[in-house]
Amino acid sequence: MGTQRREGATLAEGELTGHSHRLQEANAVQLWVQGHNLFLEVKEPSATLVHEEHQAIELPQGLYRVWRQREYRPDAYIEVMD
């Protein structure tokens, strides 16, 4: 399965609030998709992950796998809605 380049700097759109998790410095990052997996490449010394409901997170240069937070319920794991 090949890796595809994804445009933009938004990791996830908020389904409930409309807020998104996105990288402030769009030119410093590249998103990649491989199957159902999303990867973030920070190409500069750092990039800032921002969201309206919590503090910014500074990410150092590197390659990251992105996944949705899940919560456990006795019958299943449910992705956390934003």
Side-chain angles (χ1 to χ4, degrees):
M1 187 177 305
T3 303
Q4 301 288 322
R5 191 177 191 142
R6 189 174 109 181
E7 295 301 316
T10 300
L11 300 180
E13 296 286 346
E15 292 88 1
L16 299 176
T17 64
H19 299 153
S20 63
H21 286 87
R22 65 197 176 288
L23 282 299
Q24 192 169 334
E25 304 84 3
N27 61 333
V29 300
Q30 177 61 59
L31 296 175
W32 301 93
V33 178
Q34 183 180 44
H36 295 290
N37 295 313
L38 177 62
F39 297 92
L40 166 67
E41 179 183 8
V42 178
K43 301 182 291 182
E44 298 294 324
S46 68
T48 308
L49 177 64
V50 293
H51 186 274
E52 290 83 356
E53 295 179 335
H54 56 73
Q55 290 184 335
I57 300 170
E58 201 71 25
L59 298 173
Q61 187 175 36
L63 184 62
Y64 299 85
R65 180 174 173 239
V66 179
W67 69 88
R68 300 285 306 254
Q69 184 175 355
R70 298 177 296 159
E71 63 183 38
Y72 172 77
R73 296 196 181 163
D75 57 335
Y77 284 99
I78 306 296
E79 283 190 354
V80 174
M81 295 295 198
D82 188 22

